[in-house]
Amino acid sequence: ELMTGYTMLRNGGVGNGGQPWVLRWSSRIRLTWLSFTLFIILVFFPLIAHYYLTTIDDADDAGKRIFGPRTGNELCEVKHVQDLCRIRESVSEELLQLEAKRQELNSEIAKLNLKIEACKKSIENAKQDLLQLKNVISQTEHSYKELMAQNQPKLSLPIRLLPDKDDATFPLPKSNRNCRLHNCFDYSRCPLTSGFPVYVYNSDDYPFGSSLDPLIKQAFEATVRTNVYVTENANIACVYIILVGEMQEPVMPKPTELEQQLHSLPYWRTDGHNHLIINLSRKSETQNFIYNISTGRAMIAQSTFYDVQYRPGFDIVVSPLVHAMSEPNFLEIPPQVPVKRKYLFSFQGEKIESLRSSLQEVRSFEEEIEGNAPADYDDRIITTLKAVQDSKLDFVLVEFTCKNQPKASLPTEWALCGERDDRLELLKQSTFALIITPGDTHLVISAGCTMRLFEALEVGAIPVVLGEQVQLPYNDVIRWNEAALIIPKPRITEVHFLLRSISDNDLLAMRRQGRFLWETYFSTSDNVFSTVLAIIRTRIQIPAAPIREETAVEIPHRSGKAAGTDPNMADNGDLDLGPVETEPPYASPKYLRNFTLTAMDIYRSWNSAPGPFHLFPYTPFDPVLPSEAKFLGSGTGFRPIGGGAGGSGKEFQAALGGNVPREQFTVVMLTYEREEVLMNSLERLNGLPYLNKVVVVWNSPKLPSEDLLWPDIGVPIMVVRTEKNSLNNRFLPWDEIETEAILSIDDDAHLRHDEIMFGFRVWREARDRIVGFPGRYHAWDIPHQSWLYNSNYSCELSMVLTGAAFFHKYYAYLYSYVMPQAIRDMVDEYINCEDIAMNFLVSHLTRKPPIKVTSRWTFRCPGCPQALSHDDSHFHERHKCINFFVKVYGYMPLLYTQFRVDSVLFKTRLPHDKTKCFKFI
């Protein structure tokens, strides 16, 4: 049938009616295929899709996946699908790269771990080597000490010795008039290391105490309470002191009663050895009641002595105690210039022959004066001085009769005329003041003479003493010829010629020395008492007590911030500025000459610069003056490396050399609430050679921020807290300063390391002067007749500001403890001028100007906040300070100089075989 049907189709369905059948059959076939096709689509396609969805995640081979990746962008026909594809591809690439980096880092970490292990092994080996080197160094040092001990005597601080409770008896001299230290003083009570303890009796415990002048007794007690040598333990005392005068006339005890009371003192020990009897005089009236008292081996200190009573080198002539309970007013003291005054010389006095005193009545000892009295020159003196006055060659004023009742005096003594204020007014107009000693040559000194001497020195009239036999106060330790003229009476006819021949420079030097003596030894009760003790202590050769230092109260601070290196500070080329200290700080040796100063330099210490050694305890660092510099390093038996041999430039750079080859300096930096500026300044000190430590004087009551991190500059930084905001704190002798050299520097000063080192080297050649960088000068204002402070550029200078300057620590003691308090008070009042005050002090003591180094004029750091010096009132205050300081000193101590020290070859690159050193111009 199929064939038949097929044939019929080929034939077009012709015949027997085939076309309709074919159509029916064809329709059935299409319907069947359509149904079959729909069945296949509806059944098999979901099954295939389900199979793919369930097996697509398990297909390992991309070729086996039903919906695997296709070439081109067959499945990414939509735009957002394309973006997702690109993101997927990018993330895949980044993940691959990160994986590669991770593997690379793991490899590097493994290599670094190997290196760390190797470094640890190297460190352990280095520690072992370092330990061996330390052992070698320790053994070498020990061997060196043994060799030094074998070749040098052993020197160490002696153990303090104290006297025995019971004094050893020693034979009495034939007469008390023959008393001297060797036969009337018990040295066993005063060992060299005893510290010179002094016991002072309380006068109120004895009957004569009620007769003492109240003002003198009160002043004496106040002085005793503050003296460093006074002790309350009488068993260890070296010297015992009792005050017996000045006594009031109505209630004065009889000589026998006073003698009994003295002999009954608990530590008199039968003869009074090691006792000092002090008889102070506040007035010109003389009370020499001790003349008729047996004082045994006790020393006597008073203002009136007869030659039969005075024992040279044993008794002490003291000055009158005029300012008993008051300090002298420096503003009332006339200036020392002009040198020439209205009167060439003046004298006022009256001689009363008929006056009889208690002294004259008791002169009945067996030591009474024997022989004929010397010729009396008083008549010749009167005639000669009146002739000079009448000649009118010079203005002179001489009066031999008082207008009012003269003061009481001894026979043959010239009595004072008028009141003290009237006498001072005349002396202020006199270039010289005549002091005529008593006609009785057996009266070696009287209270009237010492009063005239006191008043002349006080107002700057140069004393002219007529009578060479006189014993002036403290004459065995003071060179009076530097401040007074002592002329024999027979030369009265030549006095006028002699006084006119003295140059102005010599007059000013004598007046300045007289002012120094008056301020140091005469002016106050404390000075008088301290001088008396110092004379005894110096005679028996006991060193003075160490001067006190300011205890530094440290402010806790955190350090550890690594200090950077400023290229401007460290750019020194191939110049070796010196070693950066890696070992512990090296302090300057202390107390090297405390014994030799006492034994050898008595006159220099008492009479000349750099100051009143005897009144104030010795400083740990003795100043090295040019006169004694030649002794440093001599006799040591060796030549230090880098010094003394004229070494090459390389050796010169590598070591300080000179007489003190090993030395450091301390930086003292004053600051006030400028933390950022301070930190920058401290960082600039990093790597500075020869730096011992930095002392930061925190002048603000507000403490530094707790979170402030201080830089680590390789040396200790000590932050010191002050009691008050004062510029005087810059010069306090802090105990943390252990070097002689101090570099005082402001917190905003900007100095290079080579400049600092150059200044340090220059200071070592001039240790007694201020050596620094910013120079200033003073000038005389003619229209206003006053001094001015000037900071303009100039070819000369008279000051170096201590905002960047080196000075000796010795001057810190003098500034804080010796310089007149009025100067420090003005510095506090103006919050200014402390640098001017230090320049005044040093120039006054040395009579030398400061030294400026380098040619730079300003040293402020760029960008720092403005300081006090930028205030408009700054210069006006400094003008006032200079004029006030001149009034206190009595003259202008500043000296001009055109000398400046520059480093010509300091940073010049030369061959190593050439000398590299300083050139001073």
Side-chain angles (χ1 to χ4, degrees), residues 835-846:
D835 45 4
I836 301 178
M838 177 59 82
N839 278 270
F840 266 68
L841 175 66
V842 177
S843 295
H844 170 66
L845 296 175
T846 63

Side-chain angles (χ1 to χ4, degrees), residues 610-613 619 621-623 740 808-815 845:
F613 286 80
T619 63
F621 309 110
D622 299 319
E740 297 184 23
H808 201 289
K809 188 181 179 182
Y810 178 75
Y811 294 123
Y813 296 100
L814 297 182
Y815 183 99
L845 296 175

Side-chain angles (χ1 to χ4, degrees), residues 892-908:
M892 169 55 75
L894 298 179
L895 299 173
Y896 293 106
T897 180
Q898 296 180 354
F899 178 82
R900 190 186 75 218
V901 182
D902 281 345
S903 170
V904 177
L905 299 180
F906 189 51
K907 296 187 67 176
T908 304

